[in-house]
Amino acid sequence: MGCVVNGPGEARHADLGIAAGKHRGHLFIQGQIVRVVREDEMVDALVDEAKKIIAEGIEARLEARDRSAEAEAAADRAELLGDRGDDANHAQERIEKIRRHVTE
């Protein structure tokens, strides 16, 4: 699980993952975005997809993916980056704070 900015990288090697942001979830199977769901559907969608993977197999679920999901997810990510900038999680600010604390 992760955010829509870092989620694609975090989910790259997971059999099943979800990245959340902008009130939507991007559902991944082996790093590929297969569905985009509303925030209130994320848990149910994740559980449902896990059950389908068990019943049908990963390859079948990848083949059944929503072909427009990748473009939707890219638009969500771009919008979030536009709203919050490249450092949406304020990582650089946190690194500097830690460095200041360590050197004090």
Side-chain angles (χ1 to χ4, degrees):
M1 295 180 71
C3 70
V4 296
V5 173
N6 298 324
E10 294 167 346
R12 192 154 318 229
H13 300 291
D15 287 337
L16 179 62
I18 195 160
K22 302 301 282 182
H23 306 289
R24 291 164 34 115
H26 304 165
L27 195 62
F28 293 86
I29 295 176
Q30 293 188 332
Q32 294 184 45
I33 299 167
V34 296
R35 288 172 59 192
V36 176
V37 297
R38 291 188 337 245
E39 184 175 50
D40 62 343
E41 298 173 344
M42 289 191 301
V43 173
D44 289 339
L46 191 65
V47 171
D48 181 55
E49 201 60 51
K51 290 177 180 178
K52 288 179 180 178
I53 287 172
I54 291 168
E56 302 170 23
I58 286 178
E59 293 303 318
R61 295 310 305 149
L62 286 171
E63 187 58 36
R65 73 185 176 276
D66 177 350
R67 305 277 183 208
S68 66
E70 184 109 15
E72 284 184 69
D76 286 348
R77 184 176 189 276
E79 184 179 346
L80 185 61
L81 285 170
D83 289 349
R84 297 194 183 171
D86 290 338
D87 191 12
N89 295 319
H90 308 286
Q92 191 59 43
E93 179 183 322
R94 291 172 193 218
I95 290 168
E96 293 302 321
K97 185 176 180 180
I98 290 167
R99 286 183 178 150
R100 282 193 306 272
H101 180 73
V102 169
T103 59
E104 292 177 351

